[in-house]
Amino acid sequence: MTLFVALLIVYSIGLIVLGSWVGRAVRQSTDFFVAGRTLGPGLLVATFLAANIGAGSTVGATGYAYSDGLAAWWWNGSAGLGSLVLAFWIGPRVWREAKTLGFLTVGDFLEYHFGRDVRGLAAAIIWMGSFFILCGQLRGAAEVIHKVAGLPLAIGALLATLATTTYFVMGGLKSAAVVNRIQLFVILVGFVIAAPLAQHSASLAGASAGDTSFWRGANVGWPTLFLLGPAFFLSPGLIQKAYGAKDERSLTMGVAINGVALLFFAVLPVMLGLAARALHPGLERAEMALPTVLADDVTPFVGAIALAAVLSAEISSADAVLFMLATSGARDFYKGFFRPNATDGDVLRVARLVAIGGSIVGYVLTFALDSVVDALTMFYSIMIVTLFAPIMGGLFLPKAGRWSALASMLVGVMTLVTIHIATGGAGFGWATPAFLGLIASGLTYLMLAVF
């Protein structure tokens, strides 16, 4: 345990030093927001995949495999399928507009097509949702640190917050893209080694995970595609990362490789969750399956690498959320509404301050939410029903106008909240509250656009 804590500290300091070194050259908001639009396929793969493999993809997906079996594949598999939509359909279109018109945030896109009201409403709703996903990443990191080092969850979350905030504030997307390369390497190595070893331990013990279904479990299955698929081609953080591509070919290649990698990565948490289910059938909380099996059922060296991989996953996804909060806060709120004549230096300074403030709020929320998956599900639900109609409409049916966009956003969120409350979050069969909210939002936009 002491050795792992020492390695954790050294690793975190290394990330901070690397991010600070890259960030020393960041002097303009375009560098901070979109890395100067210089990202090639390699850096795009790293920053997308590192952002997409986070608390939900590791701690959450393994927990689902523990409780639902093979159906847990759909948690990461849906993300991969959504990423392919971004790579080949949505991404190139928004990149061309961003390059031509100088967009730095999704808010810029929304204001161009629908006006300031839509930009402000979308930014406000996204902000509220982003805090949930940030606290989910920090909570996941804290769970790992607590399991292997015995530190209280509050201390673990604080360490993760400090590491993430420090290197991100220095250089924004530019620092994150470079640091994500290191994090991604650790993530992939850790999981590729640990998953088969955990399965081997289960087979040696003669333990069985029991019968499981690939298509549908109690909590996840193919309907998860309706929740997570759109989230991975509508996420403001991912679209803004796409803005950073140096050209359209780099964007398509980088995001597509990320999507395919997610489809294959989806198998690894399932293997770990099934091993934990066989070896530790009495866990009090399913989300403890991943840290438990890594701490108890593989060699200490492999367990340390894999746990460092989990921690890297949480931190890399947390910096993606800070990226969303900082850029939206500085560009959409500060310059968009409060100080339209703000200088580039002012915007950059506010972005860094918002990142610090956002990390503090995210840390505080880790005390309010008990479940990583609950936090992420809430964020994804709010995001897709808010952004689906205005982003798709702006790209493919832009003449509908601002009232169509505003009405679709409000109807979508109200439908989501109403059905969630009425059904206790269960929805109606496979039709989840988020899916029904998305349908209501899309139909509202289409009706107002046509009539």
Side-chain angles (χ1 to χ4, degrees):
M1 300 298 181
T2 303
L3 175 61
F4 180 80
V5 173
L7 290 174
L8 171 64
I9 293 173
V10 171
Y11 178 63
S12 299
I13 292 174
L15 296 180
I16 292 170
V17 171
L18 177 60
S20 300
W21 181 77
V22 174
R24 78 195 192 287
V26 173
R27 296 288 183 270
Q28 297 179 328
S29 61
T30 52
D31 292 328
F32 191 92
F33 284 39
V34 294
R37 304 191 200 277
T38 60
L39 299 182
L43 281 175
L44 284 168
V45 171
T47 194
F48 267 84
L49 197 53
N52 289 336
I53 298 177
S57 307
T58 54
V59 175
T62 306
Y64 275 140
Y66 183 87
S67 59
D68 290 27
L70 295 175
W73 181 89
W74 288 94
W75 186 265
N76 285 311
S78 297
L81 294 172
S83 295
L84 294 178
V85 174
L86 178 62
F88 293 106
W89 191 32
I90 305 297
R93 289 174 177 268
V94 296
W95 183 86
R96 287 194 293 269
E97 284 199 13
K99 177 71 172 179
T100 302
L101 301 171
F103 295 160
L104 297 181
T105 67
V106 170
D108 291 338
F109 170 89
L110 294 175
E111 181 171 352
Y112 174 78
H113 286 286
F114 302 112
R116 294 177 70 209
D117 294 344
V118 174
R119 176 184 195 146
L121 179 59
I125 295 174
I126 291 165
W127 251 53
M128 290 185 289
S130 296
F131 289 122
F132 287 103
I133 193 171
L134 178 58
C135 91
Q137 307 305 328
L138 298 176
R139 177 85 185 190
E143 296 272 16
V144 173
I145 295 172
H146 172 71
K147 179 64 180 179
V148 300
L151 296 178
L153 291 176
I155 301 299
L158 179 61
L159 292 175
T161 302
L162 291 174
T164 307
T165 306
T166 303
Y167 77 73
F168 175 78
V169 166
M170 293 301 296
L173 181 57
K174 205 159 195 173
S175 289
V178 175
V179 171
N180 288 161
R181 273 184 167 179
I182 307 298
Q183 294 167 324
L184 181 61
F185 176 79
V186 174
I187 292 167
L188 296 180
V189 169
F191 274 82
V192 167
I193 294 174
L197 288 179
Q199 281 285 313
H200 181 64
S201 296
S203 64
L204 287 178
S208 172
D211 294 331
T212 61
S213 168
F214 172 76
W215 295 105
R216 189 79 183 268
N219 302 290
V220 289
W222 67 266
T224 306
L225 183 61
F226 296 126
L227 171 66
L228 293 190
F232 282 80
F233 60 80
L234 296 175
S235 167
L238 296 179
I239 290 177
Q240 287 166 211
K241 285 177 181 286
Y243 286 174
K246 67 179 182 181
D247 53 45
E248 194 171 328
R249 178 178 176 276
S250 296
L251 167 64
T252 298
M253 183 181 299
V255 180
I257 293 173
N258 150 77
V260 172
L262 284 171
L263 295 178
F264 285 100
F265 178 84
V267 175
L268 301 178
V270 172
M271 294 173 66
L272 288 161
L274 291 177
R277 177 173 173 168
L279 294 166
H280 306 279
L283 287 181
E284 185 176 340
R285 294 177 58 236
E287 289 183 359
M288 290 306 296
L290 180 58
T292 298
V293 77
L294 294 181
D296 298 344
D297 302 307
V298 297
T299 64
F301 178 73
V302 172
I305 294 175
L307 287 164
V310 177
L311 188 64
S312 294
E314 326 301 11
I315 291 176
S316 62
S317 290
D319 77 44
V321 184
L322 285 182
F323 172 62
M324 242 187 324
L325 288 169
T327 54
S328 179
R331 182 84 172 178
D332 296 334
F333 287 124
Y334 178 68
K335 186 172 177 63
F337 287 92
F338 298 111
R339 282 195 62 194
N341 60 343
T343 66
D344 188 76
D346 291 335
V347 173
L348 179 58
R349 182 171 60 255
V350 169
R352 286 171 164 152
L353 291 174
V354 170
I356 294 172
S359 67
I360 294 172
V361 175
Y363 172 72
V364 171
L365 281 176
T366 61
F367 297 96
L369 293 175
D370 293 330
S371 170
V372 170
V373 171
D374 287 347
L376 299 181
T377 301
M378 179 66 70
F379 168 77
Y380 290 138
S381 299
I382 292 172
M383 183 173 64
I384 64 170
V385 300
T386 301
L387 294 180
F388 178 78
I391 288 182
M392 300 298 286
L395 289 173
F396 301 104
L397 195 62
K399 294 183 180 180
R402 62 191 286 262
W403 291 113
S404 297
L406 284 170
S408 67
M409 294 161 70
L410 291 172
V411 169
V413 173
M414 290 173 61
T415 301
L416 165 68
V417 172
T418 301
I419 295 177
H420 184 87
I421 293 173
T423 65
F428 302 98
W430 58 266
T432 65
F435 175 71
L436 295 172
L438 184 150
I439 294 299
S441 175
L443 288 176
T444 301
Y445 187 93
L446 285 173
M447 290 173 61
L448 292 177
V450 172
F451 300 107

